[in-house]
Amino acid sequence: MVRPVGPPMLTVREVAEELAVCRATVYALLERGELERVWVGRSIRIPAASLEALLARGRR
């Protein structure tokens, strides 16, 4: 089965939806350094690999 390739960078809203949490929780994860952030102008983007790493840590 071929998995569709997702975007390499995600918005805070997209990460919140993926984790089923509110955006404030995503901002808290960013502040604690549990998720990597990249500034694109004045917008925050989260690398998909950072979200995958967070999920992998949670599965242990």
Side-chain angles (χ1 to χ4, degrees):
M1 182 169 132
V2 176
R3 181 177 172 195
V5 177
M9 303 292 259
L10 304 166
T11 64
V12 171
R13 177 174 283 150
E14 290 169 332
V15 172
E17 289 174 4
E18 183 71 28
L19 296 175
V21 299
C22 67
R23 289 183 299 157
T25 301
V26 175
Y27 285 114
L29 291 168
L30 291 165
E31 287 301 315
R32 290 195 306 257
E34 294 184 45
L35 282 172
E36 179 185 347
R37 81 177 82 190
V38 175
W39 287 97
V40 178
R42 293 175 54 193
S43 301
I44 293 174
R45 294 293 182 262
I46 296 125
S50 181
L51 175 59
E52 290 171 9
L54 175 74
L55 293 171
R57 288 191 302 270
R59 290 187 192 122
R60 290 187 206 168

